[in-house]
Amino acid sequence: DADDLVWDASAEVAVTLADGASTGGTGVTVSGDTVTITAGGVYRVSGSLSNGQLVVAVPDDATVRLILDSVTVTNASGPAVSVTSADEVTVILPDGSTSRLTDGASYTVADDATPVAALASAADLTIAGNGTLEVTGKANDAISTKDGLVIVSGTIKATGADDAIRGKDFVHVLGGTVTATGAGDGISSDNEEDADRGWVRIDGGDVTVSATSDGVDAINAIVVTGGTVNVTRSEEGMESAAVTISGGTVSVTASDDGLNATKGTTTGGTEQNDGSDLTISGGTVTIKSGYDGIDSNGTVNLTGGTVTITSGASGGEGPVDANGTITLTDAKVTANGTTITSASQLGHRMGGGPRR
């Protein structure tokens, strides 16, 4: 909501972080090096904690705007910023500011109140502003929320011992410069219970992902309509039940499949058509993969845009592998140096060899 990004500066409550000497106004409590926001409102936070925590614990119907004005928080035994209750929290990064959040290498969160992450939230989370936020998750994720995550703007650098950026319900990138480095996934959404959740959508911005597992992973859907997405390292570049690219510039480097549409369903260890779908209708897509360039347990529809695939150099992997139909209409496709004019050219590797 655009209103989330507008507030009355005179209503800001100043919070100053300092080891053993933190201070705050109305709606703020301080206990040692734990600073807790207890009421909805606008809070401008500055200073640093070498081993402390900033907590947001407000009523479930309250909203908080958290202005991180060059804040550094390190917490050896938990999240650096922990949102345990709220309707939604908007993190604002002021112009020219750089904030850094780091958690400890090993800890648990009592009663699973939040995810295990340096920036951990039990509520919807939005990040906006034109400053910089550097988040290092040493125990698990860097940025993680049990609800949804929206990135409006700013320079976000997230490095996770597991996932770099995770929104259980969704991750929606509208703009900004996002660098996600994960020892697990780069950007993920893993709500399996709700059919309208578990999605990642990128409408703008400049997103760079480096991951040991999937670059971008979502249970139900990945949608790219604009911006630049560059997956520089991954096992699977993008993986979801539905992968849709209608605009923007997408570049994927993957040791396994570049783009993978799957619902994760198999019978007797054999993949079958599970109704998943991969559609490219616009944009520029470049794929370099160790195995299949595009792999779908359902259908593949190439109806627009420019697609360049370099698939596995050995093992007979194909540029496109689908258990359902492959449709090629108005897309300009090049696979392993060959201009593709028919869908029948895509179901096998250029130069022959068995399909994977």
Side-chain angles (χ1 to χ4, degrees):
D1 192 324
D3 289 344
D4 294 336
L5 307 181
V6 180
W7 66 92
D8 182 357
S10 66
E12 293 179 7
V13 176
V15 180
T16 302
L17 305 180
D19 291 341
S22 296
T23 60
T26 302
V28 180
T29 63
V30 178
S31 177
D33 285 326
T34 298
V35 177
T36 303
I37 293 170
T38 60
V42 184
Y43 299 85
R44 182 174 291 270
V45 186
S46 60
S48 64
L49 293 171
S50 62
N51 187 18
Q53 187 176 60
L54 178 61
V55 177
V56 176
V58 301
D60 289 338
D61 61 351
T63 63
V64 171
R65 294 176 182 86
L66 195 63
I67 305 169
L68 298 185
D69 197 352
S70 294
V71 168
T72 299
V73 179
T74 299
N75 186 7
S77 56
V81 174
S82 176
V83 179
T84 59
S85 60
D87 179 26
E88 64 176 315
V89 173
T90 300
V91 174
I92 307 294
L93 310 174
D95 292 1
S97 68
T98 298
S99 292
R100 298 178 175 89
L101 308 175
T102 307
D103 65 357
S106 178
Y107 62 90
T108 58
V109 175
D111 300 321
D112 294 324
T114 69
V116 175
L119 173 51
S121 179
D124 287 319
L125 188 67
T126 297
I127 301 175
N130 295 316
T132 298
L133 177 63
E134 299 177 2
V135 185
T136 303
K138 293 185 175 181
N140 192 46
D141 301 339
I143 301 171
S144 185
T145 172
K146 287 186 173 183
D147 287 347
L149 171 64
V150 178
I151 298 176
V152 178
S153 56
T155 299
I156 316 298
K157 301 176 182 179
T159 303
D162 188 20
D163 299 344
I165 296 173
R166 171 184 170 271
K168 181 177 180 179
D169 285 352
F170 60 83
V171 177
H172 193 177
V173 181
L174 298 171
T177 300
V178 180
T179 303
T181 304
D185 298 332
I187 299 175
S188 72
S189 181
D190 58 357
N191 186 329
E192 300 183 74
E193 290 77 33
D194 301 312
D196 61 345
R197 295 291 185 258
W199 52 266
V200 174
R201 181 181 178 111
I202 299 172
D203 291 333
D206 187 351
V207 179
T208 302
V209 178
S210 176
T212 301
S213 187
D214 297 342
V216 182
D217 180 86
I219 292 295
N220 288 319
I222 294 171
V223 177
V224 180
T225 69
T228 299
V229 183
N230 186 12
V231 180
T232 61
R233 181 182 70 129
S234 65
E235 184 176 0
E236 305 266 359
M238 293 185 176
E239 181 174 270
S240 184
V243 178
T244 303
I245 299 172
S246 61
T249 301
V250 176
S251 178
V252 169
T253 299
S255 61
D256 197 338
D257 300 328
L259 304 180
N260 188 16
T262 177
K263 293 183 178 179
T265 55
T266 60
T267 301
T270 302
E271 291 184 353
Q272 296 184 352
N273 188 335
D274 63 4
S276 53
D277 176 77
L278 195 149
T279 296
I280 299 175
S281 61
T284 301
V285 180
T286 304
I287 300 168
K288 296 180 181 179
S289 63
Y291 290 92
D292 300 316
I294 295 174
D295 186 5
S296 175
N297 285 356
T299 58
V300 173
N301 298 290
L302 305 177
T303 62
T306 300
V307 182
T308 303
I309 301 171
T310 304
S311 57
S314 62
E317 313 311 332
V320 176
D321 182 11
N323 292 329
T325 58
I326 300 174
T327 301
L328 173 61
T329 53
D330 294 330
K332 298 178 180 179
V333 180
T334 302
N336 296 324
T338 299
T339 299
I340 303 301
T341 58
S342 169
S344 63
Q345 294 175 268
L346 291 170
H348 64 280
R349 177 175 173 268
M350 300 295 102
R355 290 171 63 187
R356 182 172 179 238

